[in-house]
Amino acid sequence: MAKSLSNASAHTKPDSVSALDRTVLYLTVSLTGASVMVLELLGTRLIGPFYGVSIYVWSSLISVTMIALALGYWLGGMIADRIPGLRLSYLIASAAVATLLIPILIRPVLLLTDPMGLRAGAFFSALLLFTVPLTLLAMTGPYVIKLAARQLANVGALSGSVYAVSTLGSVIGTIALGFYLLPMTGARAVLYGLSALLGLLASTLVLYERRGLGGNVATLCVAVIVFACFGGGALAYEHHRPQPWGKGLTLLYESESVYGWVRVIDDQAQKVRFMMSDASTISAADLDNVRSGLLSYQWVTQRLPVFRPAARSALLIGLGGGHIAAGLERQGVKTDAIEIDPAVAYAASRYFHYHPSGDLLIGDARYQIRRLNKTYDFIIHDCFTGGSEPAHLMSIETLRELKAHLNSGGILAINFVGFAEGERRMPAQLVYRTLGEVFEHRRVYVSEPDSEFNDFIFFAADEPINVHPEAASARTLDLLAKRRFFGMTEGERIVTDDFNPLESLQVSKAEMYRKVLLERVGMDVLLR
């Protein structure tokens, strides 16, 4: 390219860049800018199913991206000054190869970093997988500026243009990935496609750099065909790629939606069908009766009519397999549901035989709640997923919005995973205190009475929450009494949209949840 630029200068002004040079260079920085954002965003889809999609995974990926960009800018500028023989096409080709290696290295890297724990494991997984390709892509910016600059007089304008075009490419890459590529293909297929695209760009740059040395259109056509075949083969492989799981596990359904990696898996050994979203089991059922859930906190939630026998309507936020809704509907409680992930809603209907008696709304809970024009006797808040809960749905502002949609005497039920003892119970105490700021009465149940690590099921209402013995069997009353928790105390602060420390306080919970998950379903189902 250095040769082409020098040749072009003979026919252009000394301080200008030819139209062809400008087009090629801007195309390069726009595609590399898009590639940087695609890799950063894909990181959550590759690491999240193993470590959970949490603030720690996002922080790790953003930090690694910033490290790689800083290193790439420095190296790119230094190499452009000191090693002029290193062509731009070499950098792009190397980035293509490094990107191609990511899906190959995912499994061994995750297994290598697993002993490091949640935070260190997420960071070093991102560091090992993404530093090299991101650094190579970042090197192109200063390298392009060096190649295109004629005189010091136009370096400022040229630099601004290069980084502006690169940023615009990043925007386009972000939108293309989130709106189209991920829902249509999946993370690994996008990586293969990105590698092929970078390879094609490198081939184009080789021809451009060697315009006077025998490069021709035929060579470019061959490169296009090779990379098209490679990309098509990679997509075909992804659609038929066998899962490296142990015997007795059967994958029934898999979808990589914009919200998570959703799978429905049959475990023949345990006779259980479960649904997973990233690194969380969000539903489980006996293979002989998939309509009935096996998760014990769901059993407690389905007993809500024992406290309000006259109740006839409910809203479930977080559908899962639909077992809570089905249990309430069998008791005559018509149940609407809000589910953010259409893949989860489909799996609940197709593989757990969920058939809504009320409305099924697909979308973010807070957005859908603001649009509701109904009130309910019960609202069940069950949004725990991926090893973490969406903390913005636990704030006092959200609770007030939910209260506005409760009938007089209605009950809000919240499922919250945490610890019952010691300093680690602080998150549960914060939620309990926040509920007390909105409702007059509270009651707490747990899914496992003898376990420190538990699902807490918080009931909150403006009227006393009492059991109606005539509405339940003696066995139900006995089980409810055993699961009632009396040890919950007030937290020191409340959770608000402005002050919301839940996720940072839930590190121990996330690590314990992941440990329990691995014991129950095994590590293989978290690996791609």
Side-chain angles (χ1 to χ4, degrees):
M1 179 170 291
K3 178 179 178 61
S4 66
L5 287 171
S6 63
N7 289 339
S9 65
H11 305 285
T12 58
K13 296 179 180 180
D15 61 345
S16 66
V17 178
S18 72
L20 179 60
D21 290 337
R22 189 182 301 273
T23 299
V24 172
L25 296 179
Y26 282 176
L27 175 64
T28 299
V29 294
S30 64
L31 288 178
T32 54
S35 300
V36 167
M37 288 307 302
V38 168
L39 286 175
E40 181 179 3
L41 292 173
L42 282 179
T44 59
R45 292 312 180 86
L46 301 174
I47 299 174
F50 195 75
Y51 286 109
V53 180
S54 67
I55 191 173
Y56 304 109
V57 169
W58 273 111
S59 297
S60 297
L61 286 164
I62 293 172
S63 298
V64 167
T65 301
M66 294 298 101
I67 291 170
L69 290 179
L71 181 60
Y73 295 152
W74 176 72
L75 284 175
M78 183 184 68
I79 290 175
D81 286 337
R82 300 182 182 181
I83 314 178
L86 181 61
R87 297 179 181 272
L88 186 61
S89 57
Y90 299 168
L91 297 179
I92 307 296
S94 299
V97 173
T99 301
L100 174 63
L101 293 176
I102 292 174
I104 300 172
L105 295 175
I106 291 171
R107 185 182 179 90
V109 166
L110 291 177
L111 292 175
L112 175 67
T113 59
D114 180 55
M116 299 180 184
L118 175 62
R119 287 173 287 186
F123 177 79
F124 282 101
S125 293
L127 190 70
L128 292 172
L129 289 171
F130 296 103
T131 299
V132 172
L134 287 172
T135 299
L136 290 167
L137 291 170
M139 291 171 66
T140 60
Y143 206 82
V144 163
I145 293 172
K146 175 68 175 181
L147 290 174
R150 291 288 185 271
Q151 296 178 351
L152 291 177
N154 74 335
V155 170
L158 179 63
S159 300
S161 298
V162 166
Y163 284 111
V165 172
S166 177
T167 302
L168 180 61
S170 298
V171 173
I172 295 173
T174 301
I175 294 175
L177 178 68
F179 288 14
Y180 302 104
L181 297 177
L182 268 179
M184 293 171 57
T185 58
R188 295 174 67 102
V190 173
L191 282 172
Y192 288 129
L194 181 62
S195 175
L197 177 64
L198 291 173
L200 180 59
L201 175 62
S203 300
T204 304
L205 287 172
V206 167
L207 294 179
Y208 178 72
E209 292 165 346
R210 296 171 59 85
R211 280 185 298 173
L213 300 176
N216 53 57
V217 176
T219 305
L220 178 61
C221 292
V222 171
V224 170
I225 294 173
V226 170
F227 284 113
C229 292
F230 173 75
L235 288 174
Y237 171 75
E238 283 304 310
H239 283 293
H240 298 89
R241 177 171 55 91
Q243 294 290 348
W245 295 350
K247 295 180 179 179
L249 295 179
T250 303
L251 178 67
L252 300 180
Y253 171 72
E254 179 180 30
S255 176
E256 193 160 3
S257 73
V258 295
Y259 298 104
W261 182 30
V262 178
R263 292 96 74 206
V264 177
I265 302 166
D266 278 356
D267 186 336
Q268 301 294 340
Q270 300 184 63
K271 300 295 182 184
V272 173
R273 172 173 297 175
F274 52 92
M275 185 196 305
M276 299 192 67
S277 177
D278 288 326
S280 178
T281 300
I282 60 175
S283 193
D286 193 306
L287 278 180
D288 295 327
N289 183 16
V290 295
R291 297 177 186 270
S292 297
L294 294 177
L295 302 179
S296 53
Y297 83 90
Q298 294 178 343
W299 181 91
V300 176
T301 308
Q302 289 171 342
R303 306 285 83 78
L304 277 169
V306 173
F307 302 88
R308 297 288 190 268
R312 291 296 177 266
S313 63
L315 172 66
L316 173 62
I317 304 173
L319 180 64
H323 295 120
I324 292 176
L328 293 174
E329 289 163 4
R330 285 193 291 268
Q331 300 172 76
V333 180
K334 184 178 179 180
T335 305
D336 294 345
I338 297 175
E339 171 55 50
I340 193 172
D341 195 334
V344 171
Y346 171 79
S349 173
R350 175 66 177 82
Y351 298 99
F352 295 91
H353 307 309
Y354 164 69
H355 302 291
S357 61
D359 297 328
L360 176 57
L361 308 175
I362 304 298
D364 181 78
R366 289 194 71 163
Y367 175 75
Q368 294 295 340
I369 290 167
R370 288 195 298 269
R371 300 180 62 195
L372 286 174
N373 57 8
K374 295 181 180 181
T375 56
Y376 302 90
D377 297 314
F378 303 132
I379 296 180
I380 301 98
H381 183 314
D382 185 20
C383 297
F384 178 84
T385 183
S388 63
E389 57 284 307
H392 69 289
L393 296 180
M394 300 291 179
S395 68
I396 193 169
E397 290 85 356
T398 301
L399 299 181
R400 286 170 176 162
E401 289 178 355
L402 293 176
K403 182 180 179 179
H405 292 284
L406 277 174
N407 293 327
S408 178
I411 299 176
L412 170 67
I414 294 181
N415 173 46
F416 187 83
V417 179
F419 293 90
E421 299 177 3
E423 293 184 359
R424 295 187 296 180
R425 66 177 178 174
M426 184 182 297
Q429 290 174 309
L430 285 175
V431 174
Y432 186 70
R433 165 72 183 277
T434 307
L435 281 168
E437 295 291 318
V438 182
F439 295 93
E440 292 291 329
H441 301 275
R442 294 162 293 174
R443 182 179 283 224
V444 185
Y445 288 87
V446 292
S447 59
E448 303 294 337
D450 299 322
S451 175
E452 179 192 2
F453 183 64
N454 241 307
D455 285 91
F456 292 95
I457 304 96
F458 296 103
F459 290 172
D462 280 337
E463 296 183 5
I465 306 172
N466 297 318
V467 171
H468 289 250
E470 73 281 2
S473 66
R475 180 175 181 275
T476 295
L477 295 175
D478 180 59
L479 289 175
L480 280 174
K482 290 180 179 179
R483 285 181 166 84
R484 188 169 179 186
F485 184 74
F486 293 95
M488 187 59 63
T489 57
E490 302 282 356
E492 295 180 358
R493 302 186 66 173
I494 63 173
V495 180
T496 68
D497 286 341
D498 180 64
F499 175 75
N500 197 331
L502 284 178
E503 192 162 20
S504 61
L505 292 173
Q506 287 282 63
V507 178
S508 296
K509 182 273 302 180
E511 292 175 340
M512 177 60 75
Y513 178 85
R514 187 167 179 275
K515 177 182 178 181
V516 172
L517 178 69
L518 293 176
E519 291 174 352
R520 293 180 178 177
V521 303
M523 185 176 293
D524 282 340
V525 298
L526 304 182
L527 296 168
R528 291 175 177 272

